[in-house]
Amino acid sequence: MNAPTQIDTSAEDLMANAIRALSMDAVQAANSGHPGAPMGTADIAAVLFNRFMKIDPSADKWADRDRFVMSAGHGSMLVYAINHLLGYDDMDMDQLRNFRQMGYRTAGHPEYGHAKGIEVTTGPLGQGFSSAVGMALAERMHNARFGDELVDHYTYVIAGDGCLMEGVSHEVIDFAGHHGLGRLIVLWDDNQITIDGSTDVSTSMNQKMRFEAAGWHVQAVDGHDKEAVAAAIQVAREVTDKPSMIACRTIIGFGAPNKQGSHSVHGAPLGDEEIAAARKALDWPHAPFTVPQEVYDAWHAVSARGRAAREAWESRLAASAHKDAFQTSMANPDAAALDAAIDAYKAKLSADAPKVATRKASQMALEVINATLPNTAGGSADLTGSNLTMTGDMTDVTASDFSGNYIRYGVREHGMNAIMNGIALHGGFIPYGGTFLIFADYGRGAIRLAALMGVRVIYVLTHDSIGLGEDGPTHQPVEVLASYRAMPNLNVFRPADVVETAEAWQAALKFENTPSMLSLSRQGLPCLRTEHVAENMVAKGAYVLREAEGGRDVTLIGTGSEVEIAMKAADLLAEEGIKAAVVSAPCFELFAAQDDAYKTSVLGDAPRVGVEAAVEQGWAPLLGQNAAFVGMTGFGASAPAGELYKHFGITAEAVAAAAKELIK
């Protein structure tokens, strides 16, 4: 373990007060922000960084750094102040002076990728805490592969009352306790204040008992007693088989003599008069945005200690027999190996033409992918046998053995998605996780953050339409595709057959900065791609699956299970001398990214009919003006799949009729 030695603690009061001063100055300059949390947690943060954190601002992506997550993201000035004081080269004082202003890195809530030293985007309460569980899990999984010499770090979280009220916290607290994530230490900012006032207006939860019940190690301290905080963190670090929660009783806005301890200091500037009083109370006689050199020296000592630890680690890596494997795990997938494996697999599929549900096609593709890539990490929210996310060579990750690559997330869709964000952000693994498409919305908050942050997480979402049949409208996601297609920086794939499913996986794995959804059928679908094509057609978003000889009278566009219907409709139209082309459109987002010439070559200028067992919203760019849509206009029903398609009029006959109506 990276136990600290010979650390000077004499300047910790000044280190903490520098955070407070910079926070209240920045919020005042912006006339916007949340000074209360940074001022209240400054003592905790000063102790954590000065005595324990292993971090090097000159190598912000160093793999074995400790992770720090400010889950209470409204307290973003704590992060920016610390990163400035540590010496991150992209966080000079000008960034703090322009807190919350256009073009600066100091956004209202910490945003991953906008500045160095921000491990995860936080703000939606509970998300940072939940993603930190994923980071701690990834650390243990990576450690099981490469040992303490290369993987030996902690994940620290400052979480507020709101983080612990959000439902996702229950999911991940349970998960972390069950898996014994001993490198996870959560510092609860127990200030008993929310926006509405005292927490007793809305909760009577005994959080310490709650965490204990879930298998955590729990302590309680005065969050302004630095020695008590330090002692508690040290004890937590020595508990190897349980995650730790330290309840730190704090005063929100500590140091502001007339407003501290009140909800009025939570989300508004203190005002010039109160700031002057706070400077006096804190014995901080310096002008706004001014930090004495002795304070910088104290914070820079933290960075120097981290740099020495990083250099020692690099020496260990250079000498390690695991060097190549470790670096491979942290890098992007081997595209050449992936392409070769998928190409050979596709050729066999086109020759054999198996009829399988695309959920099964996904599992078949994963057998190839997991055998090719060494660092995929799969899982499911208690639907492994339905999502078909586990392949033959996978083993479970457990509290007693983290060397596996399959994670049993339990019935925790939101927690699963947030944990996968943390795994992806930590590095070393490419996470994918499954549930039914209808339950994607249970984890929507974490999916949105994956898209916002730009992390490679893959969602395996099965039972994707009325085609799931008898489970009925509660499980039939008629509107879900449209809602996720509306989300920026998220690729939604709905493959039509076994070949398209393989291509969807191939494409998803290559998007380093974009999460992907695979929308997959429960019912069996015929193989439509019976002639092998090396090019990944799904990666184009849409393509001509069947061209009409002698020019088009109409273009039929389908996705997923409805491409088969479009093909049958084209046959019916051909019997009447009507020339119909069929376009498969598995990914609207990727098609939208193509150039105009390609789009025109696919869509043509004939009338268009779209068909999908979902609502029409989002189809307009593909359909254009002279068009029709065959799909759902309301919720589904409980009946066998075939009867449902007939009942709701999503049939080849209906598509053919719509086409004839357009061209008559």
Side-chain angles (χ1 to χ4, degrees):
M1 294 185 185
N2 45 67
T5 57
Q6 297 182 339
I7 290 174
D8 183 4
T9 62
S10 61
E12 278 179 351
D13 285 345
L14 290 174
M15 294 172 75
N17 285 341
I19 295 172
R20 294 186 173 104
L22 291 172
S23 296
M24 63 187 183
D25 288 345
V27 172
Q28 187 68 20
N31 195 29
S32 171
H34 300 76
M39 296 178 74
T41 59
D43 292 318
I44 301 168
V47 169
L48 174 63
F49 277 82
N50 189 45
R51 305 195 197 190
F52 299 98
M53 281 292 291
K54 182 178 69 171
I55 192 167
D56 180 8
S58 69
D60 65 299
K61 295 298 185 183
W62 167 36
D64 201 37
R65 70 192 182 278
D66 288 339
R67 271 65 168 178
F68 171 69
V69 174
M70 182 64 176
S71 187
H74 54 275
S76 58
M77 266 309 305
L78 179 99
V79 178
Y80 304 142
I82 289 172
N83 288 358
H84 168 76
L85 293 165
L86 286 170
Y88 281 90
D89 60 11
D90 65 345
M91 195 56 64
D92 60 27
M93 192 66 84
D94 195 45
Q95 294 291 331
L96 274 59
R97 291 191 186 97
N98 288 278
F99 177 51
R100 289 183 160 224
Q101 304 307 302
M102 180 65 71
Y104 289 86
R105 299 182 183 91
T106 44
H109 294 83
E111 295 187 33
Y112 173 78
H114 282 219
K116 297 177 181 179
I118 297 174
E119 300 288 0
V120 56
T121 296
T122 58
L125 293 177
Q127 291 293 333
F129 176 14
S130 303
S131 292
V133 171
M135 295 176 189
L137 176 64
E139 191 274 342
R140 289 291 82 193
M141 291 172 65
H142 223 211
N143 174 272
R145 287 155 178 76
F146 300 109
D148 289 347
E149 69 168 353
L150 298 182
V151 185
D152 180 23
H153 55 266
Y154 289 83
T155 302
Y156 297 100
V157 182
I158 291 181
D161 292 295
C163 293
L164 302 191
M165 288 188 204
E166 288 288 355
V168 69
S169 76
H170 177 79
E171 297 183 21
V172 300
I173 289 168
D174 188 3
F175 180 95
H178 178 74
H179 285 83
L181 299 180
R183 293 302 184 92
L184 174 64
I185 299 175
V186 174
L187 299 143
W188 171 33
D189 178 20
D190 179 18
N191 61 33
Q192 300 182 1
I193 293 291
T194 61
I195 291 175
D196 279 358
S198 173
T199 53
D200 62 16
V201 304
S202 58
T203 181
S204 302
M205 176 67 71
N206 186 320
Q207 295 289 0
K208 295 186 288 293
M209 291 179 66
R210 177 189 177 205
F211 277 80
E212 286 175 350
W216 287 57
H217 178 262
V218 176
Q219 302 173 78
V221 298
D222 177 347
H224 301 297
D225 182 337
K226 296 181 181 62
E227 293 305 321
V229 170
I233 294 174
Q234 187 58 44
V235 168
R237 286 161 56 93
E238 293 167 359
V239 176
T240 60
D241 60 346
K242 293 182 179 182
S244 289
M245 189 273 268
I246 304 171
C248 301
R249 184 70 179 95
T250 62
I251 299 171
I252 191 171
F254 183 91
N258 303 303
K259 294 188 175 183
Q260 66 180 24
S262 164
H263 69 98
S264 64
V265 77
H266 167 82
L270 297 181
D272 292 335
E273 185 176 333
E274 185 69 4
I275 288 175
R279 277 188 155 78
K280 184 175 181 181
L282 295 169
D283 192 21
W284 188 266
H286 312 292
F289 299 108
T290 300
V291 177
Q293 187 59 46
E294 64 179 309
V295 178
Y296 279 124
D297 290 344
W299 279 100
H300 290 170
V302 176
S303 301
R305 185 179 76 236
R307 181 168 186 164
R310 190 256 303 169
E311 290 171 346
W313 177 87
E314 288 177 343
S315 295
R316 295 196 300 275
L317 176 64
S320 174
H322 301 303
K323 176 183 176 181
D324 291 343
F326 182 89
Q327 291 178 330
T328 296
S329 77
M330 297 298 293
N332 284 323
D334 184 336
L338 177 64
D339 290 347
I342 293 295
D343 185 62
Y345 173 59
K346 281 168 50 181
K348 186 176 187 303
L349 291 176
S350 293
D352 296 344
K355 179 178 181 178
V356 296
T358 50
R359 62 171 176 159
K360 178 61 177 178
S362 172
Q363 185 183 47
M364 292 162 61
L366 280 169
E367 293 282 2
V368 176
I369 290 162
N370 289 341
T372 304
L373 304 181
N375 60 344
T376 51
S380 172
D382 200 52
L383 287 168
T384 295
S386 294
N387 300 148
L388 304 181
T389 40
M390 192 173 193
T391 57
D393 59 347
M394 303 186 87
T395 58
D396 285 356
V397 174
T398 68
S400 59
D401 185 359
F402 288 99
S403 65
N405 54 1
Y406 194 80
I407 303 163
R408 306 282 181 170
Y409 287 104
V411 189
R412 305 184 184 101
E413 295 88 356
H414 200 173
M416 174 179 73
N417 292 347
I419 289 167
M420 287 197 295
N421 284 347
I423 293 171
L425 290 163
H426 177 276
F429 301 95
I430 300 172
Y432 69 85
T435 186
F436 291 172
L437 179 59
I438 192 67
F439 300 133
D441 276 355
Y442 276 169
R444 189 181 187 92
I447 294 171
R448 186 176 187 274
L449 281 188
L452 181 62
M453 291 187 289
V455 293
R456 181 168 35 213
V457 175
I458 301 173
Y459 311 97
V460 182
L461 304 174
T462 68
H463 297 59
D464 73 342
S465 73
I466 59 171
L468 66 87
E470 293 85 345
D471 275 345
T474 59
H475 284 53
Q476 293 166 3
V478 297
E479 82 291 357
V480 178
L481 284 169
S483 72
Y484 282 104
R485 285 170 178 158
M487 186 177 287
N489 196 40
L490 175 67
N491 290 328
V492 180
F493 295 93
R494 191 164 187 252
D497 70 355
V498 67
V499 176
E500 281 196 0
T501 304
E503 290 184 340
W505 267 108
Q506 181 185 19
L509 286 162
K510 290 185 176 182
F511 283 103
E512 181 183 3
N513 300 311
T514 304
S516 297
M517 284 186 165
L518 276 66
S519 173
L520 305 169
S521 74
R522 178 181 184 269
Q523 71 273 33
L525 302 177
C527 180
L528 304 174
R529 294 267 296 277
T530 55
E531 293 185 13
H532 176 59
V533 176
E535 185 177 11
N536 187 325
M537 302 306 293
V538 167
K540 293 178 173 292
Y543 63 97
V544 179
L545 181 62
R546 178 194 292 178
E547 188 57 271
E549 293 185 13
R552 303 181 188 180
D553 295 320
V554 66
T555 299
L556 311 180
I557 310 169
T559 78
S561 47
E562 287 70 68
V563 176
E564 177 190 8
I565 291 174
M567 294 285 277
K568 290 179 178 178
D571 291 338
L572 293 175
L573 291 169
E575 292 174 2
E576 300 185 40
I578 299 172
K579 295 174 288 187
V582 177
V583 169
S584 178
C587 185
F588 289 12
E589 297 79 23
L590 295 183
F591 186 62
Q594 304 302 314
D595 60 41
D596 289 342
Y598 179 75
K599 292 177 188 175
T600 299
S601 72
V602 171
L603 297 176
D605 55 10
R608 303 167 194 167
V609 180
V611 55
E612 186 173 63
V615 298
E616 183 179 356
Q617 188 171 2
W619 270 80
L622 277 78
L623 294 179
Q625 295 299 314
N626 188 19
F629 180 77
V630 176
M632 298 294 292
T633 57
F635 293 113
S638 178
E643 293 182 26
L644 289 171
Y645 274 89
K646 292 177 183 177
H647 175 76
F648 290 108
I650 306 174
T651 63
E653 291 77 11
V655 173
K660 288 189 286 185
E661 186 67 23
L662 286 174
I663 62 179
K664 69 179 181 181

